[in-house]
Amino acid sequence: MRDILADHYSWIMAAHVIAVISWMAGMLYLPRLFVYHCETPPGSEGSERFKVMERRLLKGIINPAMIVAWILGLTLAWVSAAYLQPWFHAKFLLVLVLSGVHGLLVRWWRAFAQDRNTRTARFYRIANEVPAVLMVLIVVLVIVKPFS
């Protein structure tokens, strides 16, 4: 099985990168929607529009992209034996943190969906930076491979 996957490594990597880009695009956009959603009164037409946009983004892009990124990422780590490398351990830890941030976004989305958000637009502006910082660190680990 490993040999079959190794023969298709480039295709798996391409699909993984596409999934990661999609996941990150959503992770960067959803908190920005929350910023704007904070500025609309609960139950208003604008608030209901944001609820639809947020749900579609989360269910249609972010969640599926994360699942594909995880599956293909673990496949690549196994095929290439990257899991044996110290840089990969650091990357894996940061991807776990990124997945935790994903979970927080889901929790915050549920609060908006139920008109129970208690956080400010400023909070979401700051939260919007967390996935970007994690992305930069993960990319550096993958490309530079420090600790090797």
Side-chain angles (χ1 to χ4, degrees), residues 2 19 37 55 60 63 71 82-83 93 99 107 113 119 126 128-129 131 135 139 144:
R2 184 180 249 168
H37 198 160
R55 186 187 78 248
N63 288 348
I71 291 169
Y83 62 89
L93 177 64
S99 298
R107 180 189 305 175
R119 293 178 173 80
I126 293 167
N128 192 201
E129 303 305 320
M135 176 189 63
V139 168
V144 177

Side-chain angles (χ1 to χ4, degrees), residues 44-62:
S44 69
E45 183 180 327
S47 177
E48 296 307 310
R49 187 177 319 113
F50 279 117
K51 288 178 187 180
V52 170
M53 293 168 64
E54 292 158 358
R55 186 187 78 248
R56 288 179 178 172
L57 179 62
L58 188 65
K59 303 281 187 171
I61 297 172
I62 302 174

Side-chain angles (χ1 to χ4, degrees), residues 12-145:
I12 297 168
M13 177 64 83
H16 176 67
V17 170
I18 292 165
V20 169
I21 289 169
S22 300
W23 185 23
M24 288 309 307
M27 294 282 286
L28 294 169
Y29 188 46
L30 187 58
R32 181 54 49 186
L33 286 175
F34 293 162
V35 169
Y36 302 135
H37 198 160
C38 283
E39 298 169 355
T40 62
S44 69
E45 183 180 327
S47 177
E48 296 307 310
R49 187 177 319 113
F50 279 117
K51 288 178 187 180
V52 170
M53 293 168 64
E54 292 158 358
R55 186 187 78 248
R56 288 179 178 172
L57 179 62
L58 188 65
K59 303 281 187 171
I61 297 172
I62 302 174
N63 288 348
M66 181 194 71
I67 292 165
V68 172
W70 264 102
I71 291 169
L72 297 178
L74 290 172
T75 301
L76 291 166
W78 177 62
V79 169
S80 68
Y83 62 89
L84 300 171
Q85 302 297 318
W87 67 266
F88 180 81
H89 300 156
K91 177 209 176 201
F92 189 75
L93 177 64
L94 292 177
V95 173
L96 286 174
V97 172
L98 184 62
S99 298
V101 171
H102 181 127
L104 286 173
L105 291 176
V106 170
R107 180 189 305 175
W108 300 336
W109 164 72
R110 285 189 180 124
F112 275 110
Q114 298 167 358
D115 291 325
R116 291 187 9 242
N117 174 55
T118 58
R119 293 178 173 80
T120 64
R122 185 174 190 277
F123 172 85
Y124 292 113
R125 279 188 187 94
I126 293 167
N128 192 201
E129 303 305 320
V130 175
V133 170
L134 289 169
M135 176 189 63
V136 167
L137 294 172
I138 291 166
V139 168
V140 168
L141 286 168
V142 171
I143 302 300
V144 177
K145 292 182 176 57

